[in-house]
Amino acid sequence: MELPKGVEWAAHALIVLEAADGRAVSSAGLARVFDLSPTYLNKHMQKLASAGLVRSAAGASGGFRLACPASEVSLHDVVSALGSAQPLFKCTEIRCQGAFADQRQQILSSGLCGINRAMLQAEESWRASLRAISIAELTAGVDRASRLRMLQAAGLEP
């Protein structure tokens, strides 16, 4: 399983927004913090805006702000906002093919196959662990010097 790099970019951008303490940060400012492509990062920020995680405002004092408290935004929200909410495993029911093709109806009526059940359970555990980690918790782990550096790179006064 590999998540799109935008998940990492967006999560870090949200940490910067939390550190910005309600001040708007431009996508160019966010991109400068980690030397990312402003255009590509902006696409991800727009997805976060569509999901209601950030608000954007145009103009000289515009940019992005968190739309709700960082304690209410989980890593799962970020993953879901960037289009990774689809199940990671897709069962194609190969147990109904080949030597078992003639038993298809009977097999399907018996319920999910064990592999599918195990994969769904593992994915739900993973998603539950992401739901338990908030952007506020991640930001709390950033030391003062790093926060100051982030804010300066984003074009904000500390």
Side-chain angles (χ1 to χ4, degrees):
M1 163 183 69
E2 186 175 341
L3 292 172
K5 65 182 172 185
V7 169
E8 177 186 13
W9 291 24
H12 280 286
L14 291 174
I15 289 171
V16 174
L17 294 180
E18 169 65 357
D21 231 3
R23 293 176 286 173
V25 183
S26 69
S27 56
L30 289 169
R32 263 193 317 274
V33 176
F34 301 107
D35 193 25
L36 303 173
S37 161
T39 306
Y40 190 61
L41 179 60
N42 191 56
K43 286 182 183 181
H44 297 301
M45 297 306 293
Q46 294 303 325
K47 289 180 181 179
L48 294 179
S50 293
L53 302 179
V54 299
R55 286 190 313 255
S56 64
S61 62
F64 293 95
R65 289 181 175 86
L66 291 176
C68 57
S71 60
E72 295 176 14
V73 180
S74 71
L75 279 179
H76 184 267
D77 295 329
V78 177
V79 168
S80 295
L82 295 179
S84 299
Q86 299 300 319
L88 300 174
F89 179 78
K90 181 163 174 58
C91 181
T92 60
E93 290 294 357
I94 66 168
R95 65 188 178 144
C96 299
Q97 297 174 189
F100 299 96
D102 62 330
Q103 297 177 10
R104 179 175 178 79
Q105 293 302 341
Q106 180 183 355
I107 291 170
L108 291 176
S109 67
S110 70
L112 297 176
C113 78
I115 294 168
N116 194 4
R117 271 194 313 275
M119 293 298 224
L120 291 171
Q121 181 180 0
E123 182 175 345
E124 183 47 41
S125 294
W126 174 71
R127 289 188 185 277
S129 69
L130 291 179
R131 283 185 199 98
I133 303 167
S134 74
I135 295 300
E137 291 174 72
L138 294 172
T139 306
V142 177
D143 63 71
R144 180 169 165 66
S146 296
R147 282 178 190 242
L148 292 174
R149 185 175 265 199
M150 282 190 309
L151 295 174
Q152 288 170 339
L156 300 176
E157 293 294 321

